[in-house]
C-alpha cells in the first residue's frame, strides 16, 4: 500500500497544510462542480425542451390559422364551382387573408403549389377540393414534424401528452371532418348532385366522426381524472362534442338521406358554428397545454435556481467549516511545534493550551504529560547530579591524599628494605669473622684445657647460665627492635587502612595481626626479663664458686671462658639474627610489593575519582540547560493549562538517599 501511494505521499510532504487543504478543497470541488454542471445542464436542457415545446406550439398555432384560412377558402370555392355564385366577395376576402401567409418560405412554397394546381381552366370541383386538401395535409405534416422534433407530441408527462394529442390530432382531425361535411353537404344541398362515390365517402366520414367524438370524450374524461382543473375544459369538450354529433345527425338527414333539407347556406353556417366551437375548444386545450408547459418551464427554472442557491449555500458552509478546520488544525500544529521547540531548547515550564477533544488535542495532552514527567525527571537528575558531584569531589580529595601517603609509605618501605638488605650483608660478614675468631679461640682453648678441666663443673654451670643469659639478652634486643618497628608499621598501616575505608579492610586485618604479634613479642620480652633475673641469681652463685676455685686460673679461665662464651653467643646470635633478618627481609619485600600494588590501585582510584568528578560536573552542566516547571510554576494561576499538572510518582530508582555516605 505504501509503495503504491509513495509518489502521492512524497508530493504531499512537499506542501504546507494550507496548500494541502486547498488541494483537498479543489479535489472535492472539481467533481462537485462537474456534477452540478451536469445537473444544471440537464435541467437547462429540460428548460430548453419546455421552451422549444412552447415555441413549437406557437408555430403550430400560427400554421393552424393557415389551415383555417385554407379550409374556409376550400369550402367557398367548392360551393362556387358547384353553382353558388353569391360567394365571390367572401372568396376574395379569404384569398387576401391567405396572401398574408406568403411571407413564410415554407408556407409560400405550399401556396405556390396550390396556386399552380387551381389555375387550370375548367377545373373540376373534386380536383379543386383535392388540391386544397393536399395543401392542408402538407401543413398538417409540417405541424406533426414540428411537434415531433420538439418532443411536443412525445412528452413524457401523461397530461401534456394527452393535451397535445387533443390539440394536435383529435380536434384538428374532427374539425377536418366537419369542414369537409359542411363544404360538400352545402354544395350538395345547393346543387342536388353528388359526384361519383361522394355519398359513400360522406357516410364513412360521418361514422369516423362518431368514433372521433367518442375518443375525444374518453380522452377528456381521462384528463379530468388526472387533473381536476380540467373540469371546465371537459364540460366545454362535452358541449362541443354534442354540437358536433348533432351536426353529423343533421348531415345524415339533409345530405345523406336528403330529407328535411334547409339550404346550403344554413347548412354551411351550422358547420361553421361547429367549426367555431371546435376551434375554441382547441384553443382552450392549447392554452391549457401552454400553461402547463410554462409552469413546467418556470418550475424547472425555479428548481435550477433553488439547486444553485442550495449548492452555493452548502459550498459556503463547507468552505466555512473547512476554513475553521484548517485554522483549528494549523493552530494545534503551531502549538505542538512551539511546545516541541521549547522542549528542545530546554524550556519545560512553557504552558500547553488544550481546548479540543480531537486527536491533535490528545497529542498535545500527551506532550504536556511528557513535559511534566520530563520536568520531574530533570529535577531528580539535577539533585542526583549535585549529590554525585559533591561525593565525587570528596572521593577525589580523599584518594589524592591516600595516594600521596601511600606513595610516601611505599618509599619508606623501599628504604627499609634496602637497610635490611645491608644489615643482612653485614650479618653475613660478621658470621665469617666469628668463624675465624672461633678457630683462634680453639687454639687458645687447647692451651688452657688443663686449667679448665679443674673448673669444668663450674665452667659448665657458668657457661650454661651465661649462655642462656646472653642468648636471651640478644633475643630480647632483637625482639624489642622488631616489635618496635613492627608496631610502628602496623600503626601506620592501620591509619592508612582506616583512611582507605572499604578498600582498606584487608590491609587493616593484616595490620591488626602485626600489632598482635608485636604485643606478643613484648610480653615474651617481659617473661625473658624475669628469666634474666633468675639467671642473674644463678650467675651470682657461679661467680662465688669461681672465686673459690683460685686466683691462678681466674684470669685465663675468665678470659677464655668469656671469649669462648662471647664467641659462641655471637655465633648463635648471628645465626639467629641472620635467620630473623632473612624472615624480616622476606616480610618487608612482601609488604613492599603489596604497598606498591596498593599505591597503583590508589593512583587508579584517584584517576577514576577525578574522571567521576569531571563526568559529574559535565552532567550538572548538561542538566542545567533544562528549566523544569517547578522553577516557574508560580507564574500560572491555573496549573491545568500545562496539561495534566498532577503529582506523579517518582521515577524508578530515583532514590536520593541510596548512597550510604548520604544516609
Amino acid at each position: 500500500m505504501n509503495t503504491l501511494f509513495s509518489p502521492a505521499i512524497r508530493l504531499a510532504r512537499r506542501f504546507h497544510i494550507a496548500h494541502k487543504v486547498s488541494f483537498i478543497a479543489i479535489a472535492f470541488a472539481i467533481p462537485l462542480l462537474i456534477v452540478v454542471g451536469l445537473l444544471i445542464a440537464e435541467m437547462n436542457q429540460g428548460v430548453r425542451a419546455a421552451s422549444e415545446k412552447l415555441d413549437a406550439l406557437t408555430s403550430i398555432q400560427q400554421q393552424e390559422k393557415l389551415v383555417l384560412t385554407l379550409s374556409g377558402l376550400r369550402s367557398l370555392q367548392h360551393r362556387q364551382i358547384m353553382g353558388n355564385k353569391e360567394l365571390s366577395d367572401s372568396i376574395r376576402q379569404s384569398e387576401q387573408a391567405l396572401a398574408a401567409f406568403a411571407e413564410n418560405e415554407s408556407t409560400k412554397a405550399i401556396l405556390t403549389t396550390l396556386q399552380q394546381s387551381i389555375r387550370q381552366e375548367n377545373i373540376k370541383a373534386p380536383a379543386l377540393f383535392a388540391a386544397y386538401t393536399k395543401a392542408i395535409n402538407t401543413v398538417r405534416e409540417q405541424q406533426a414534424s414540428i411537434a415531433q422534433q420538439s418532443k411536443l407530441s412525445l412528452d413524457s408527462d401523461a397530461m401534456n401528452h394527452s393535451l397535445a394529442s387533443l390539440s394536435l390530432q383529435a380536434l384538428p382531425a374532427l374539425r377536418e371532418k366537419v369542414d369537409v361535411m359542411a363544404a360538400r353537404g352545402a354544395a350538395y344541398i345547393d346543387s342536388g348532385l353528388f359526384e361519383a362515390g361522394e355519398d359513400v365517402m360522406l357516410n364513412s366520414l360521418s361514422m369516423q366522426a362518431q368514433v372521433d367524438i367518442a375518443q375525444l370524450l374518453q380522452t377528456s374524461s381521462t384528463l379530468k381524472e388526472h387533473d381536476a382543473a380540467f373540469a371546465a375544459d371537459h364540460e366545454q369538450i362535452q358541449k362541443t362534442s354534442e354540437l358536433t354529433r348533432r351536426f353529423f345527425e343533421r348531415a345524415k338527414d339533409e345530405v345523406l338521406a336528403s330529407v328535411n333539407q334547409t339550404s346550403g347556406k344554413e347548412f354551411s353556417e351550422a358547420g361553421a358554428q361547429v367549426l367555431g366551437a371546435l376551434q375554441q375548444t382547441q384553443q382552450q386545450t392549447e392554452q391549457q397545454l401552454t400553461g402547463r408547459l410554462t409552469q413546467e418551464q418556470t418550475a424547472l427554472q425555479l428548481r435550477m435556481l433553488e439547486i444553485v442557491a442550495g449548492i452555493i449555500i452548502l459550498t459556503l458552509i463547507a468552505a466555512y467549516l473547512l476554513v475553521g478546520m484548517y485554522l483549528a488544525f494549523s493552530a494545534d500544529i503551531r502549538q505542538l511545534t512551539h511546545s516541541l521547540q521549547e522542549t528542545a531548547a530546554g524550556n519545560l515550564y512553557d504552558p500547553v493550551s488544550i481546548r479540543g477533544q480531537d486527536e491533535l488535542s490528545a497529542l498535545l495532552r500527551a506532550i504536556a504529560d511528557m513535559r511534566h514527567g520530563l520536568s520531574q525527571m530533570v529535577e531528580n537528575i539535577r539533585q542526583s547530579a549535585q549529590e554525585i558531584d559533591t561525593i565525587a569531589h570528596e572521593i577525589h580529595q580523599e584518594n589524592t591524599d591516600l595516594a600521596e601517603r601511600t606513595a610516601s609509605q611505599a618509599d619508606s618501605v623501599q628504604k627499609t628494605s634496602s637497610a635490611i638488605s645491608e644489615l643482612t650483608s653485614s650479618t653475613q660478614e660478621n658470621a665469617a669473622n666469628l668463624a675465624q675468631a672461633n678457630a683462634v679461640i680453639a687454639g687458645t682453648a687447647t692451651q688452657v684445657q688443663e686449667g679448665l678441666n679443674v673448673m669444668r663443673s663450674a665452667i659448665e654451670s657458668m657457661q650454661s647460665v651465661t649462655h642462656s643469659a646472653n642468648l636471651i639478652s640478644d633475643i630480647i634486643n632483637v625482639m624489642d627492635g622488631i616489635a618496635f618497628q613492627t608496631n610502628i608499621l602496623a600503626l601506620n598501616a592501620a591509619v592508612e587502612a582506616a583512611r582507605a575505608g572499604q578498600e582498606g579492610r584487608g590491609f587493616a586485618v593484616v595490620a591488626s595481626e602485626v600489632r598482635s604479634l608485636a604485643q606478643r613479642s613484648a610480653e615474651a620480652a617481659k617473661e625473658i626479663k624475669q628469666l634474666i633475673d633468675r639467671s642473674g641469681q644463678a650467675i651470682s652463685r657461679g661467680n662465688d664458686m669461681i672465686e673459690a676455685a683460685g686466683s691462678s686460673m681466674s684470669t685465663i679461665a675468665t678470659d677464655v671462658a668469656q671469649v669462648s662464651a662471647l664467641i659462641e653467643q655471637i655465633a648463635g646470635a648471628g645465626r639467629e639474627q641472620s635467620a630473623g633478618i632473612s624472615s624480616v627481609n622476606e616480610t618487608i619485600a612482601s609488604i613492599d610489593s603489596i604497598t606498591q600494588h596498593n599505591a597503583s590501585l590508589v593512583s587508579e582510584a584517584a584517576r577514576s575519582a577525578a574522571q567521576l568528578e569531571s563526568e559529574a560536573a559535565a552532567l550538572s552542566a548538561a542538566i542545567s540547560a533544562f528549566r523544569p516547571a517547578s522553577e516557574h510554576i508560580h507564574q500560572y494561576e491555573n496549573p491545568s493549562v500545562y496539561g495534566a499538572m498532577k503529582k506523579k510518582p517518582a521515577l524508578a530508582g530515583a532514590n536520593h538517599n541510596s548512597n550510604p555516605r548520604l544516609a
Side-chain angles (χ1 to χ4, degrees):
M1 186 64 69
N2 291 332
T3 303
L4 179 62
F5 290 98
S6 58
I9 294 173
R10 288 195 299 270
L11 181 63
R13 287 174 177 170
R14 294 184 179 181
F15 297 100
H16 297 291
I17 296 176
H19 299 159
K20 295 178 183 178
V21 173
S22 299
F23 290 158
I24 292 173
I26 293 172
F28 280 98
I30 290 175
L32 179 62
L33 291 176
I34 292 174
V35 172
V36 171
L38 293 175
L39 180 60
I40 293 175
E42 182 179 358
M43 297 184 67
N44 194 21
Q45 184 178 2
V47 173
R48 287 198 302 270
S51 179
E52 290 176 358
K53 292 176 184 178
L54 287 172
D55 295 339
L57 187 59
T58 302
S59 178
I60 290 173
Q61 289 174 351
Q62 292 294 330
Q63 291 183 344
E64 190 66 26
K65 295 179 181 179
L66 175 61
V67 170
L68 290 174
T69 304
L70 288 172
S71 63
L73 187 58
R74 178 185 61 179
S75 177
L76 292 173
Q77 289 188 354
H78 179 74
R79 290 173 60 191
Q80 185 182 31
I81 292 176
M82 292 300 294
N84 192 342
K85 304 302 182 179
E86 299 177 354
L87 301 176
S88 299
D89 294 337
S90 298
I91 291 173
R92 188 167 46 253
Q93 293 177 358
S94 298
E95 288 177 349
Q96 291 177 356
L98 184 61
F101 292 97
E103 296 178 357
N104 193 340
E105 293 296 330
S106 60
T107 304
K108 184 178 181 180
I110 295 173
L111 295 179
T112 301
T113 303
L114 176 62
Q115 291 298 328
Q116 291 176 356
S117 299
I118 65 176
R119 281 177 183 175
Q120 300 176 6
E121 295 182 359
N122 299 323
I123 186 171
K124 299 297 181 180
L128 179 65
F129 200 92
Y132 275 100
T133 303
K134 182 179 179 181
I136 291 172
N137 290 335
T138 303
V139 176
R140 292 295 184 192
E141 289 175 358
Q142 289 183 354
Q143 289 179 337
S145 177
I146 294 173
Q148 187 174 4
Q149 290 178 358
S150 64
K151 305 294 178 61
L152 182 62
S153 60
L154 301 175
D155 200 313
S156 59
D157 186 77
M159 189 74 179
N160 293 343
H161 179 74
S162 298
L163 289 173
S165 178
L166 283 177
S167 60
L168 300 179
Q169 297 178 3
L171 289 173
L174 188 58
R175 279 177 52 203
E176 178 67 15
K177 293 179 176 64
V178 172
D179 187 58
V180 171
M181 180 62 74
R184 294 203 171 191
Y188 169 74
I189 293 172
D190 288 338
S191 63
L193 298 175
F194 275 126
E195 297 178 0
E198 187 177 11
D199 55 344
V200 176
M201 183 271 295
L202 292 177
N203 187 29
S204 175
L205 188 67
S206 178
M207 290 188 292
Q208 291 178 0
Q210 297 296 332
V211 175
D212 290 344
I213 291 171
Q215 291 180 350
L216 179 63
L217 291 174
Q218 183 179 0
T219 304
S220 178
S221 300
T222 304
L223 291 173
K224 180 183 176 182
E225 292 176 358
H226 282 86
D227 188 0
F230 195 73
D233 295 331
H234 177 66
E235 293 179 358
Q236 179 66 28
I237 290 174
Q238 285 181 334
K239 294 179 181 179
T240 303
S241 298
E242 181 63 22
L243 183 62
T244 305
R245 186 185 62 77
R246 288 198 302 266
F247 174 76
F248 277 100
E249 291 293 334
R250 179 178 179 178
K252 286 182 182 180
D253 292 338
E254 295 188 16
V255 177
L256 298 178
S258 299
V259 296
N260 298 324
Q261 288 184 345
T262 56
S263 65
K265 182 179 180 181
E266 292 180 357
F267 186 80
S268 177
E269 290 177 352
Q273 183 180 1
V274 174
L275 289 174
L278 288 173
Q279 183 181 0
Q280 183 179 2
T281 303
Q282 183 177 354
Q283 290 176 353
Q284 290 179 353
T285 305
E286 290 175 351
Q287 290 177 358
Q288 185 78 10
L289 180 59
T290 302
R292 288 185 61 85
L293 291 175
T294 304
Q295 290 179 357
E296 181 180 351
Q297 182 181 14
T298 305
L300 287 174
Q301 292 175 345
L302 181 60
R303 183 180 178 187
M304 185 169 60
L305 292 176
E306 290 176 351
I307 290 176
V308 171
I311 290 173
I312 292 174
I313 293 173
L314 291 177
T315 302
L316 292 177
I317 293 174
Y320 177 78
L321 295 177
L322 187 63
V323 171
M325 292 173 61
Y326 164 70
L327 293 177
F329 186 75
S330 59
D332 291 339
I333 291 295
R334 287 195 299 271
Q335 179 70 25
L336 179 61
T337 303
H338 176 73
S339 178
L340 293 177
Q341 289 175 347
E342 290 296 323
T343 303
N347 183 10
L348 301 179
Y349 66 86
D350 187 63
V352 179
S353 179
I354 301 173
R355 296 185 294 270
Q357 300 294 329
D358 56 353
E359 290 78 2
L360 279 177
S361 299
L363 179 59
L364 287 172
R365 193 174 291 105
I367 292 294
D369 294 339
M370 180 199 71
R371 296 182 68 187
H372 181 66
L374 183 62
S375 176
Q376 290 184 343
M377 182 182 68
V378 167
E379 291 178 359
N380 295 334
I381 293 176
R382 178 179 290 182
Q383 294 178 2
S384 299
Q386 292 175 354
E387 294 177 358
I388 290 172
D389 190 15
T390 303
I391 295 171
H393 183 67
E394 292 178 358
I395 293 174
H396 182 216
Q397 290 180 346
E398 293 176 357
N399 283 338
T400 301
D401 188 21
L402 179 61
E404 292 176 355
R405 287 186 279 107
T406 302
S408 178
Q409 182 182 2
D411 186 57
S412 300
V413 171
Q414 188 175 6
K415 291 180 180 179
T416 303
S417 178
S418 298
I420 293 297
S421 296
E422 293 177 359
L423 181 60
T424 301
S425 178
S426 300
T427 302
Q428 290 176 354
E429 185 177 356
N430 290 335
N433 293 331
L434 286 174
Q436 185 177 0
N438 193 18
V440 175
I441 290 301
T444 305
T446 301
Q447 295 177 3
V448 294
Q449 185 64 38
E450 293 179 358
L452 292 175
N453 288 333
V454 178
M455 302 298 293
R456 186 177 298 278
S457 58
I459 291 172
E460 290 176 355
S461 177
M462 287 298 295
Q463 287 178 347
S464 177
V465 174
T466 302
H467 183 269
S468 297
N470 290 333
L471 181 60
I472 291 171
S473 177
D474 292 336
I475 291 172
I476 289 172
N477 291 330
V478 173
M479 290 179 64
D480 285 336
I482 293 173
F484 178 76
Q485 294 293 332
T486 303
N487 192 17
I488 292 174
L489 292 174
L491 180 59
N492 289 334
V495 172
E496 296 299 327
R499 291 180 178 179
Q502 186 67 25
E503 290 80 5
R505 285 186 178 180
F507 198 76
V509 173
V510 175
S512 177
E513 292 296 327
V514 172
R515 291 187 65 187
S516 176
L517 180 61
Q519 290 176 358
R520 290 172 59 190
S521 298
E523 290 176 357
K526 291 180 182 179
E527 292 177 356
I528 291 172
K529 284 183 180 180
Q530 294 178 1
L531 180 60
I532 289 173
D533 293 337
R534 290 193 298 271
S535 298
Q537 294 176 2
I539 291 171
S540 181
R541 289 193 300 271
N543 287 330
D544 293 337
M545 292 176 62
I546 291 171
E547 289 177 354
S551 58
S552 59
M553 294 299 293
S554 62
T555 302
I556 297 173
T558 302
D559 295 336
V560 172
Q562 290 179 354
V563 171
S564 179
L566 290 172
I567 290 175
E568 289 296 334
Q569 291 177 0
I570 291 172
R575 289 191 297 274
E576 292 180 0
Q577 184 180 10
S578 178
I581 289 173
S582 297
S583 177
V584 170
N585 191 18
E586 293 177 357
T587 303
I588 292 300
S590 177
I591 292 172
D592 185 26
S593 176
I594 294 172
T595 303
Q596 294 295 335
H597 183 65
N598 288 341
S600 177
L601 293 178
V602 168
S603 298
E604 185 67 26
R607 287 193 296 272
S608 299
Q611 185 176 3
L612 177 61
E613 183 179 14
S614 177
E615 294 294 335
L619 177 61
S620 298
I623 205 67
S624 63
F626 289 95
R627 290 168 288 173
S630 60
E631 294 182 357
H632 302 273
I633 196 64
H634 63 276
Q635 296 179 0
Y636 309 107
E637 297 178 0
N638 185 10
S640 62
V641 298
Y642 194 78
M645 294 293 292
K646 53 183 180 299
K647 292 185 178 179
K648 293 188 177 180
L651 299 175
N655 185 3
H656 303 298
N657 295 328
S658 59
N659 195 319
R661 296 173 63 90
L662 301 176

